[in-house]
């Protein structure tokens, strides 16, 4: 059996033989494993991903590699990250049912997870680059973030259970370290693995001279490292979302950790904004305005549905030690103002995390295809500059853009700005 063997990376030639006897896999794929069609489709930064198809159906097999795939063996990365991805998938299924792929089989020593093949879903980032619309995109992501934020916190969970889970996830030390450096620190100085579009240099140099900005980002990093409010997805970019025209799913929670409630929301919105700013390179003038307006609607829906779902859960599922009903409703006091104040704080932090994610995707190691696929580097730099400057504004003065109309206006203003 595969799980009794020492770790070995799978490949298209060995997968059927190694997983063909695993009942949970064989029954879902069907037929003779020797005749399974197997494709390696991993285009992410870290892992192997196979689609395995047979006479009954298809599954996805995801296996961690003991190093960072996009860099190579010179950057080792512990296999145990797959355990945490599995734990996160199980918790997502409980806390926000129907969004994460269903897990069929997990093999800890092999660091592999066999899960639902999402079809005909495709990666959201590709859809946004090619100008497709997805119904209920912002609504679904906003609700997902709210459910995960609320139900993974001590607003809802019982305290011993939540504290034990924080203890469990604190074993995942390698993965947060990547976020701490690549997201929060490297963009703001000439770190070794950084790269950016050469023509963007004047904007980058100025950004890196902004000491107040760096200090603000480090304060947010303090919050990120010290605050274990809820279980995060941890890497909620548009490559971690798959969709059809009308169905939205969230994949790849291997960067999961306990952290601030605002983080996933901010990261998702940043990726919508990067899609927005990159559009002039991907759309004909005739469809550009309408498509960009749609992306701004997605962002608004994401925030408003986060708030609406969070308020709903506040009313209906507030069973933890935080803001107990005994202290409010049972005393004849409404807890609504307390909820509003918390939501305002979450939005402020989400806007600042959003700004940081907008920076790291053009200044640090792992870039977004939205900008990266723009071949004309002068045009790419011009669009990236708008994105970088809006990110800076969001980090420096998030209070000015809590109002969603003001946020949309800010994006439109930068979208018109000739920076380079
Ligand atoms: C070395 S890993 C680089 C990035 O890929 C993942 O998707 C995360 O976003 C991480 O920061
Ligand atoms: Mg990923």
């Amino acid at each position: 059996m595969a799980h009794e063997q020492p770790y070995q990376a799978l490949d298209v030639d060995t997968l059927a033989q190694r997983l063909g006897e695993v009942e949970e896999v064989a029954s879902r794929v069907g037929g003779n494993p020797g005749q399974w069609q197997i494709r390696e489709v991993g285009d992410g930064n870290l892992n192997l991903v196979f689609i395995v198809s047979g006479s009954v159906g298809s599954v996805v097999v995801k296996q961690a590699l003991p190093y960072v795939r996009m860099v190579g063996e010179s950057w080792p990365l512990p296999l145990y990250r797959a355990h945490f991805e599995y734990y996160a998938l199980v918790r997502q299924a409980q806390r926000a049912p129907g969004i994460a792929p269903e897990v069929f089989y997990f093999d800890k020593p092999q660091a592999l997870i066999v899960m639902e093949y999402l079809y005909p879903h495709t990666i959201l980032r590709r859809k946004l680059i090619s100008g497709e619309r997805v119904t209920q995109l912002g609504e679904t992501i906003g609700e997902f973030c709210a459910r995960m934020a609320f139900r993974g916190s001590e607003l809802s969970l019982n305290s011993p259970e939540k504290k034990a889970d924080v203890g469990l996830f604190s074993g995942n030390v390698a993965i947060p370290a990547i976020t701490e450096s690549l997201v929060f620190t490297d963009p703001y100085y000439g770190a070794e693995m950084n790269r950016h579009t050469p023509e963007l240099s004047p904007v980058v140099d100025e950004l890196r001279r902004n000491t107040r900005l760096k200090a603000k980002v480090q304060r947010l990093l303090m919050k990120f490292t010290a605050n274990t409010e809820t279980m995060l997805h941890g890497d909620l970019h548009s490559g971690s979302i798959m969709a059809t025209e009308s169905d939205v799913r969230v994949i790849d929670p291997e960067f999961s950790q306990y952290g601030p409630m605002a983080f996933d929301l901010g990261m998702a919105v940043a990726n919508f904004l990067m899609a927005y700013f990159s559009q002039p390179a991907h759309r004909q003038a005739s469809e550009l305005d309408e498509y960009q307006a749609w992306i701004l609607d997605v962002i608004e829906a994401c925030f408003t549905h986060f708030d609406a779902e969070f308020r709903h859960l506040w009313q209906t599922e507030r069973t933890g030690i935080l803001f107990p009903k005994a202290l409010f409703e049972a005393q004849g006091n409404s807890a609504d103002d307390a909820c509003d104040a918390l939501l305002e704080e979450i939005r402020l932090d989400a806007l600042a995390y959003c700004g940081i994610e907008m920076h790291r995707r053009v200044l640090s190691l792992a870039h977004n295809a939205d900008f990266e696929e723009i071949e004309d580097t002068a045009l790419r730099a011009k669009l990236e500059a708008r994105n970088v400057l809006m990110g800076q504004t969001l980090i420096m003065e998030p209070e000015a853009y809590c109002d969603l109309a003001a946020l949309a206006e800010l994006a439109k203003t930068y979208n018109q700005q000739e920076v380079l």
Side-chain angles (χ1 to χ4, degrees), residues 127-400:
K127 288 189 181 303
L128 297 174
I129 291 172
S130 61
E132 294 168 51
R133 287 172 171 76
V134 175
T135 315
Q136 300 282 303
L137 173 58
E139 290 82 345
T140 309
I141 295 301
E143 275 172 20
F144 171 78
C145 289
R147 287 176 187 162
M148 293 306 301
F150 192 95
R151 292 179 174 152
S153 78
E154 282 162 295
L155 286 166
S156 160
L157 289 179
N158 83 50
S159 235
E161 185 190 340
K162 195 263 183 176
K163 288 181 170 75
D165 220 37
V166 171
L168 175 73
F169 274 77
S170 69
N172 193 15
V173 290
I175 285 286
I178 292 179
T179 305
E180 287 152 16
S181 55
L182 293 193
V183 177
F184 286 91
T185 308
D186 291 4
Y188 303 101
Y189 79 110
E192 202 184 328
M193 289 185 296
N194 285 357
R195 65 195 165 83
H196 62 258
T197 309
E199 292 90 331
L200 188 64
S201 284
V203 173
V204 179
D205 293 346
E206 201 179 326
L207 188 86
R208 289 182 180 158
R209 282 194 292 269
N210 187 342
T211 313
R212 283 181 52 235
L213 174 80
K214 290 193 279 193
K216 283 221 172 207
V217 174
Q218 289 301 301
R219 290 296 295 267
L220 285 149
L221 173 56
M222 269 177 84
K223 236 185 203 177
F224 181 76
T225 56
N227 174 328
T228 57
E229 234 155 45
T230 195
M231 192 196 82
L232 307 178
H233 176 284
D235 197 24
L236 192 51
H237 56 79
S238 50
S240 296
I241 299 172
M242 294 187 76
T244 64
E245 222 177 290
S246 57
D247 188 48
V248 179
R249 308 287 295 267
V250 172
I251 63 170
D252 266 6
E254 72 190 303
F255 278 71
S256 188
Q257 63 172 92
Y258 275 81
M261 286 183 175
F263 187 76
D264 286 342
L265 180 63
M267 208 173 239
V269 169
N271 280 268
F272 296 141
L273 280 168
M274 286 185 274
Y276 172 84
F277 283 118
S278 67
Q279 287 304 316
H282 303 305
R283 300 275 75 70
Q284 300 290 339
S286 58
E287 50 181 24
L288 180 60
D289 289 355
E290 272 191 24
Y291 195 66
Q292 283 189 309
W294 176 75
I295 298 177
L296 293 183
D297 288 346
V298 169
I299 292 170
E300 184 183 345
C302 193
F303 278 119
T304 54
H305 281 255
F306 180 93
D307 284 7
E309 182 63 11
F310 197 95
R311 278 198 186 92
H312 171 69
L313 297 173
W314 181 274
Q315 298 299 343
T316 57
E317 296 187 15
R318 209 168 79 246
T319 51
I321 55 153
L322 297 175
F323 301 86
K325 292 200 168 175
L327 214 53
F328 290 91
E329 287 83 348
Q331 307 299 325
N333 306 139
S334 164
D336 292 357
D337 289 350
C339 182
D340 288 348
L342 176 56
L343 281 171
E344 194 180 326
E345 211 178 293
I346 291 173
R347 182 164 305 173
L348 272 177
D349 284 353
L351 291 171
Y353 288 127
C354 171
I356 295 170
E357 170 74 356
M358 290 164 84
H359 288 163
R360 61 82 62 129
R361 290 293 180 190
V362 297
L363 304 179
S364 175
L365 172 72
H367 288 212
N368 272 7
D370 313 50
F371 290 122
E372 231 24 38
E373 291 183 359
I374 305 171
E375 280 176 20
D376 173 350
T377 54
L379 174 61
R380 190 201 303 160
K382 184 175 130 168
L383 303 180
E384 287 177 334
R386 296 170 178 172
N387 171 69
V388 167
L389 294 177
M390 176 159 174
Q392 178 173 244
T393 302
L394 292 179
I395 297 164
M396 296 305 288
E397 38 179 341
E399 0 15 87

Side-chain angles (χ1 to χ4, degrees), residues 18 23 73 79 81 151 156 186 266 348 369:
R18 289 180 54 201
E23 171 55 24
E73 295 186 32
L79 294 170
R81 67 184 190 275
R151 292 179 174 152
S156 160
D186 291 4
L348 272 177

